[in-house]
Amino acid sequence: MQFSHGLVNPKGREGEMQFKGIPAMSTRKAAPRLTVSRRRTHRTDESHVKTTVPSRPLVECFRLPTISNQRHVVLVCFLVVMALSSWREISAEPPGRPNILFLVVDDLNTWLLSDPTRYAGRVVAPNIQRLAGEGVLFHSAYTASPVCSPSRTAFLSGVAPWKSGVSRNGVNVGDSEVLKDVPSLFTTFQQHGYWTAKFGKVSHGYDTGVKHDAQMNHKRTPPPPGAPLNGIARSAGGKVTERDWGATHIPEAEMSDTKLADATIATLRQRHDRPFFISCGLFHPHYPWYVPQKYLDLYPLNQIKLPPVKTDDLTDVPPYGQRLVNRSWDEKIQERGLTRQAIQGYLASVSYSDTQIGRVLDALDSSPYSENTIVVLISDHGFHLGEKQQWTKATLWEEATDCVMMFRVPDLTQPNQICRRPVSLLDLYPTLVELAGIDKPTHLDGHSLLPLLQNVRGPRVQPAITVYDGHMAVRTEQSRFIRYWDGTTELYDLKIDPHEWANQTNNPAFQALKNVMSAHLPSRDEIVEPLPSRQAGAVNFQPRPRK
């Protein structure tokens, strides 16, 4: 894949403004063919204005010069030779690089992918679904860690959590010795001439070492009057917690995610004379699920389908795995009969974020950069909505580890392609640098997805590994194996048990599979000790200092 760089007519039509320095795909249109013509512009494409030369008799065109103007002929020949030499030098320069639009949606699970194994109900997300249909959807993409900070630290640094020690929220990411010596994704692109912008929640606690050319931080939606609207989102001390949902009192135009989309749109409408890397991170559907009423109205309670849930699902789960589940919150929801209301709040938040994604995509598609911009959309991890009695992320099962990832790469990806090979968000960094023609940094733990972007049915040797607070899971196409910090394990055969309801770790019939799966994980001696976390229940719990 090659990219051209130089004087480009954005849409290839006469009379439109031309932008110098906008990187453009050279494969989008064949190079203009030079012809023998009586016009000053000897190009056959109609995007260039052609000026006709006044007719002269053919014999005059070949009239021999007189002695008095021979010096002029020599000068003209010299200038022609210099021009041809200069043209050769320009054509030999490295091709320009593509733009990148990087979209991150917080806590977005895979219910919107229309996979009945995950969710058989209706999810209104036409814009994300449209983008998935325009390129390659990675159906089996997995997070490096199932909570915000370590997941984002991993895909922005390219370092696996079991090497950095960052595998739980509430840690001081700057304490990781490994991360101090590696360039972040943004650093690498800035060092190669990219103009960078970050709008919203892209990183979380990880200092990428970059001063962006444009930046805007996200803000949480404040609680409406009368919160908690669900009646149960209060702490033991009576304060309103984030686990609330309902209609916001704030106009949609004033909401933080709307403003983040506005900033991204405005940036796409600007003139750029360098390739850009624009990242936009939307906060919804992270708790709290406060959205305009119209999004809640998309999901009448009597039309909401519930996910498949097994009541005694945790009985064969080791104690460490059970401790990751907040069963008290599930009990509150069940006691009040709020399951459908909670799902309504989550799905409404998904639809609100989808609207903002659609606005950004429309702005790109109507811009001069539409045909030379790579679009990547991901979620940082998945999210439980009652499965295994959990209503958040932070586990090593499918619901929390499976995430959304899709690529639209001009002149490379084909529409409606679905890749079912297990891949990791750690693969983002090596993939983007390869697509941009940048040498791959040596520290990256992921693997380029370029072969799968070219052929979604191609081979994939590496499984997907997820780490949470030192606990580890490995996912292949047909199996999942979990190893907790104390050595206890879980094993699931997804061919016969797609919901991971039957732990086969102690079943002798599955010992061979268990041996194969466990061999994919690094040994305890190879794992960096998890950094201390301020969150209760952490392997290395470190309470907040009292003021």
Side-chain angles (χ1 to χ4, degrees), residues 62-112:
F62 293 95
R63 182 178 298 164
L64 293 174
T66 63
I67 299 296
S68 62
N69 61 15
Q70 283 181 353
R71 281 179 288 183
H72 294 88
V73 174
V74 172
L75 178 60
V76 169
C77 291
F78 173 76
L79 293 175
V80 169
V81 171
M82 292 298 294
L84 288 173
S85 175
S86 176
W87 178 83
R88 290 191 186 96
E89 291 178 4
I90 293 173
S91 64
E93 289 181 353
R97 293 193 166 105
N99 303 310
I100 295 172
L101 177 61
F102 183 41
L103 306 172
V104 185
V105 185
D106 206 341
D107 283 13
L108 179 65
N109 69 18
T110 57
W111 279 20
L112 54 78

Side-chain angles (χ1 to χ4, degrees), residues 455-472:
N455 177 14
V456 295
R457 295 175 180 83
R460 169 79 173 188
V461 177
Q462 302 84 8
I465 295 177
T466 302
V467 187
Y468 181 57
D469 200 24
H471 316 303
M472 306 189 78

Side-chain angles (χ1 to χ4, degrees), residues 169 180 239:
N169 283 342
K180 294 176 181 178
K239 293 184 178 180

